[in-house]
Amino acid sequence: MNAAPNTPAAALSRRTPRRRLSAFLHRHAGVRLSLLLSAPMLWLGIAYLGALAALFAAALWRADTFTGDLIREVTWANFQDLFTTEVYRTIALRSVGVAVAVTLIDLVIAFPMAFAMAKLASPRAQRWLVIAVLTPLWASYLVKAYAWRVMLSSEGVLGWGYGLTATIITLSYLWLPYMILPIYAGLERLPNSLLEAAGDLGARGWRTFRTVVWPLAFPAVVAGSIFTFSLSLGDYIAVKIVGGRSQLIGNVVYDNIGAANNLPFAAAVATVPVVIMLVYLAAVRRTGALENL
Amino acid sequence: MRSAPRLAAVLSTVSALALALAACGSDAGSGPSGAAPAPGQSGFTPPELEALKSLGASEGQVNIVHWAGYAEDGSNDPKVDWVTPFEKASGCQVNSKLAGTSDEMVNLMRTGEYDAVSASGDASLRLIAGGTVAPVNTSLIPNYADVFEGLKNKPWNSVNGVSYGVPHGRGANLLMWRTDVVKPAPDSWSVVFDAASPYKGKITAYDSPIYIADAAVYLMATKPELGIKNPYALDDTQFQAAVDLLKQQRQLVGEYWSDYTKEVQAFKSGDSVAGTTWQVIANVAKGDGATVEVTLPKEGSTGWSDTWMVAAKAKNPNCAYKWLDWIISPKANAQVAEYFGEAPSNAKSCELTADPKHCDTFHATDEDYFSKVWYWTTPIAQCLDGRTDVTCKDYAEWTRAWTEIKG
């Protein structure tokens, strides 16, 4: 290194393989783009969509009832059981009910909080409030769920006992930050001048909210609801800890893998929340909220 | 996010496709998944696997799957420790993994990450049939000679005379209650099954399909007309009766448990006041200050006879064999039997228990007593009680029913 005159000009004029490669990439934009995107696309294609496909394929197999070994023959029996047995319908509807309730509760709590954070608090207070909202996320999920178990137990501070209501309360608490943050981000982008203009034109609080704030914040609300809805739909631990004797769709999946050793049926059950989420996303798309995210 | 509409379009196409496929599924199926003949207890041929021929150098560690209270290293109670002396004596560090149900054990063993397991009868045969565990060369385990003859070469720990493990100990599932709430002291499972139980909403039950057998044991005593001979061999009518009883019990249940810390906490706080348990849970609950007591109800009970088995693909087979020898050694077996509250498997352990009457209390040598305890066994289509004119419900159907019972 020290002997050769290694000036920048000399390096530039040299046709090293590396430079040839970068020249090639410069001329061929398509190759450049595909190389750049190949890693994320591989992730999306193999790790994510591939896993979903594997899930669906596994749902078409069956398991030996004694040893739990997979028998790789295509059968619709799992889906037939899933659709003809009433208990699975009940559990699916209950799970959707819990997810909707959690989403609505979180929305009702999060919206005013996010509004206050974005529009009423000083910039300094805003930072602290964001930190305060994020703090619960630093603690372990289990610690928080068990904390609620202790609070809800008959000798606890609240003493309301366990059950579906307890599950909804716990999940609402757990997922609240996921609702506040998107709404806060959405409302922060809302120019104050629009609120003032609404006021100047004679709109009171409710009318301003209905015609200005809500339509502009709606995509953010939808983003938050996707988080709370999907997280609640997939949860099975909180309900095990505070749910008393109730079970949700995640528990059926867990029991079929953890207890029955029936992976194919668990996969069949697991497609239910996937389908529910796809329907939800399709419905959201119709409202146009996804375009404005 | 300009790509969002496109992505969403793809997603909705996929969802439509999934819905269409699912719709096909509801009428295109040909029969229930359990239609294949299940291998019978006597009927199955285990995969050919070789037992270890001789012991080699210790690998320095062993990974075990076990029931709560089977591998105490002093972290729960400094006085209760048989893992540390083993580690010192053998040079094998014990990495222990707790399992709450037999099903969990089977699944953990199937991952291939563990060397040994304390399998109950409802797991052992599944592990053998699936080729997850290998035969055990008992001549490499000196303490095996002192194990009660009544526990050797039983249908749940051997196949065709080939031993697949060493007996750990046995006992019965018990009824636990809060002495300050449940009065008078119960002597029958009716306190957890009777629709008129005064403790509605404070009953707890074991969260596993195998609990259906507990209902069957109760029905054996209360409804003899059903003709149940073995709680793991239930035909359609008998099974339906057990399921109905459990559905009725569900109205009384506050919560189901499989994680033992959850049950301890529920009894401590009073959210549960009566329900099925293991002696070790009662010990821990008492240690935590809960006012609980246990009994073996007059109807009899389900129970377990556990076997330490070695994984077919064990990475640390030498340490696994050393652990097997250690856990059935007179001293360690006495400690674990006393802590868990079960009968030891080693005949010499009876002289080494802290409570000299332990072996009498837990009927270690009383085969007559254990004839009333129904060891956990995997239910299969071929009736275990010997009936050939009916088909019994297999474990897949038990599992499905359990989901239905919980609703």
Side-chain angles (χ1 to χ4, degrees):
Chain A
M1 277 299 268
N2 50 0
N6 209 356
T7 62
L12 268 176
S13 61
R14 219 180 293 149
R15 299 279 294 168
T16 60
R18 203 167 134 194
R19 289 206 56 77
R20 272 205 297 278
L21 180 68
S22 67
F24 173 80
L25 285 179
H26 181 73
R27 283 194 299 275
H28 299 86
V31 178
R32 196 173 66 217
L33 188 69
S34 61
L35 275 177
L36 201 64
L37 285 182
S38 59
M41 288 311 283
L42 269 180
W43 172 255
L44 185 74
I46 295 174
Y48 188 72
L49 293 176
L52 276 180
L55 176 83
F56 192 70
L60 298 177
W61 296 333
R62 61 196 179 83
D64 186 301
T65 53
F66 189 59
T67 59
D69 290 333
L70 288 181
I71 299 169
R72 292 186 167 80
E73 294 163 10
V74 172
T75 162
W76 288 100
N78 290 323
F79 286 101
Q80 197 184 12
D81 285 349
L82 190 62
F83 284 94
T84 50
T85 316
E86 204 193 330
V87 68
Y88 299 120
R89 224 171 7 246
T90 318
I91 294 172
L93 288 177
R94 183 187 300 141
S95 306
V96 172
V98 167
V100 168
V102 169
T103 304
L104 289 179
I105 291 173
D106 275 350
L107 178 61
V108 167
I109 301 175
F111 203 97
M113 237 172 124
F115 189 83
M117 279 164 69
K119 294 294 165 210
L120 305 177
S122 68
R124 193 185 147 78
Q126 259 182 39
R127 267 201 302 280
W128 284 109
L129 283 169
V130 170
I131 293 172
V133 168
L134 286 173
T135 322
L137 295 179
W138 297 351
S140 149
Y141 173 107
L142 281 179
V143 170
K144 289 182 281 184
Y146 270 103
W148 276 97
R149 182 176 164 86
V150 173
M151 283 194 286
L152 291 165
S153 98
S154 52
E155 284 184 351
V157 190
L158 299 173
W160 298 337
Y162 309 131
L164 218 50
T165 321
T167 312
I168 293 173
I169 294 171
T170 307
L171 288 176
S172 302
Y173 167 79
L174 287 170
W175 310 142
L176 187 62
Y178 296 97
M179 186 63 111
I180 295 181
L181 289 176
I183 299 182
Y184 165 70
L187 288 175
E188 218 192 3
R189 281 187 302 176
L190 178 79
N192 286 339
S193 53
L194 288 183
L195 301 181
E196 286 155 13
D200 288 348
L201 291 170
R204 302 239 176 115
W206 173 245
R207 198 181 164 90
T208 310
F209 173 76
R210 206 162 47 83
T211 56
V212 180
V213 179
W214 180 257
L216 287 171
F218 188 67
V221 169
V222 166
S225 77
I226 290 173
F227 286 133
T228 54
F229 190 82
S230 62
L231 288 169
S232 309
L233 202 59
D235 188 87
Y236 69 97
I237 302 172
V239 66
K240 260 200 175 288
I241 296 172
V242 296
R245 61 190 184 195
S246 48
Q247 55 181 349
L248 298 179
I249 212 158
N251 300 90
V252 179
V253 177
Y254 176 82
D255 286 349
N256 272 287
I257 298 179
N261 224 333
N262 191 344
L263 182 74
F265 190 69
V269 178
T271 55
V272 173
V274 174
V275 170
I276 293 174
M277 271 325 285
L278 289 175
V279 171
Y280 186 72
L281 286 175
V284 163
R285 185 181 165 260
R286 286 192 78 99
T287 66
L290 284 179
E291 281 86 346
N292 297 321
L293 273 182
Chain B
M1 262 263 182
R2 252 187 302 158
S3 63
R6 219 189 202 166
L7 180 69
V10 172
L11 285 177
S12 53
T13 318
V14 172
S15 81
L17 197 71
L19 281 174
L21 286 172
C24 288
S26 56
D27 54 18
S30 51
S33 56
Q41 206 155 1
S42 49
F44 78 90
T45 330
E48 274 192 40
L49 293 163
E50 286 283 310
L52 208 61
K53 290 265 187 330
S54 58
L55 282 184
S58 109
E59 293 89 353
Q61 61 165 353
V62 60
N63 304 315
I64 59 172
V65 176
H66 61 91
W67 292 107
Y70 273 22
E72 290 297 313
D73 60 359
S75 52
N76 280 332
D77 180 347
K79 290 195 291 290
V80 181
D81 182 3
W82 51 91
V83 169
T84 318
F86 168 74
E87 288 175 337
K88 280 196 188 118
S90 68
C92 302
Q93 184 177 343
V94 176
N95 305 316
S96 75
K97 171 80 186 166
L98 207 64
T101 61
S102 288
D103 308 304
E104 226 177 286
M105 282 191 180
V106 173
N107 279 314
L108 285 170
M109 287 310 286
R110 283 164 58 92
T111 64
E113 312 237 318
Y114 301 94
D115 304 308
V117 60
S118 64
S120 296
D122 55 335
S124 55
L125 286 180
R126 281 191 271 164
L127 291 168
I128 296 172
T132 316
V133 294
V136 166
N137 184 350
T138 50
S139 63
L140 299 177
I141 300 172
N143 285 314
Y144 188 72
D146 300 325
V147 169
F148 287 115
E149 285 304 321
L151 287 171
K152 286 181 183 172
N153 286 320
K154 289 290 162 193
W156 57 86
N157 60 23
S158 67
V159 175
N160 304 331
V162 178
S163 180
Y164 275 80
V166 296
H168 168 97
R170 51 184 171 171
N173 292 315
L174 303 169
L175 171 64
M176 176 156 79
W177 72 94
R178 278 274 296 242
T179 48
D180 53 339
V181 182
V182 181
K183 284 171 188 164
D187 66 340
S188 158
W189 287 114
S190 64
V191 68
V192 300
F193 283 122
D194 194 344
S197 172
Y199 310 106
K200 191 174 173 173
K202 307 244 173 191
I203 300 295
T204 189
Y206 187 52
D207 190 0
S208 164
I210 207 73
Y211 187 68
I212 293 172
D214 288 58
V217 168
Y218 180 67
L219 288 174
M220 280 166 81
T222 53
K223 284 198 180 154
E225 66 273 17
L226 285 167
I228 301 176
K229 295 276 177 298
N230 178 328
Y232 303 99
L234 303 175
D235 63 28
D236 288 353
T237 350
Q238 296 164 343
F239 189 71
Q240 199 50 51
V243 168
D244 288 344
L245 177 62
L246 289 165
K247 280 186 178 161
Q248 173 192 313
Q249 187 202 32
R250 183 181 180 273
Q251 308 306 317
L252 310 172
V253 167
E255 69 177 2
Y256 293 94
W257 69 273
S258 62
D259 169 6
Y260 85 107
T261 51
K262 202 171 118 175
E263 195 189 23
V264 169
Q265 198 244 329
F267 268 89
K268 227 172 86 181
S269 67
D271 289 306
S272 297
V273 299
T276 180
T277 195
W278 307 326
Q279 181 76 47
V280 64
I281 297 178
N283 294 350
V284 173
K286 278 184 197 166
D288 279 3
T291 50
V292 293
E293 207 47 71
V294 287
T295 188
L296 178 66
K298 62 184 179 196
E299 292 91 1
S301 183
T302 55
W304 68 91
S305 180
D306 290 348
T307 309
W308 279 98
M309 305 180 123
V310 177
K313 297 193 179 104
K315 291 184 192 78
N316 310 298
N318 296 307
C319 276
Y321 268 72
K322 284 186 181 170
W323 170 256
L324 259 61
D325 189 45
W326 179 268
I327 198 69
I328 62 165
S329 66
K331 180 77 187 146
N333 200 240
Q335 282 176 299
V336 70
E338 208 158 16
Y339 183 68
F340 194 88
E342 62 188 341
S345 64
N346 191 315
K348 289 185 179 162
S349 297
C350 288
E351 294 153 24
L352 295 170
T353 49
D355 171 8
K357 287 208 289 278
H358 179 83
C359 276
D360 294 337
T361 317
F362 288 91
H363 311 267
T365 54
D366 190 351
E367 294 301 328
D368 194 40
Y369 168 86
F370 278 107
S371 68
K372 284 181 214 117
V373 174
W374 295 98
Y375 299 138
W376 280 344
T377 310
T378 309
I380 52 178
Q382 184 186 331
C383 292
L384 297 169
D385 57 3
R387 284 180 295 172
T388 48
D389 52 334
V390 286
T391 333
C392 284
K393 296 286 186 184
D394 66 18
Y395 196 59
E397 294 190 69
W398 281 47
T399 314
R400 210 161 300 157
W402 186 244
T403 305
E404 243 171 86
I405 288 162
K406 289 203 291 172

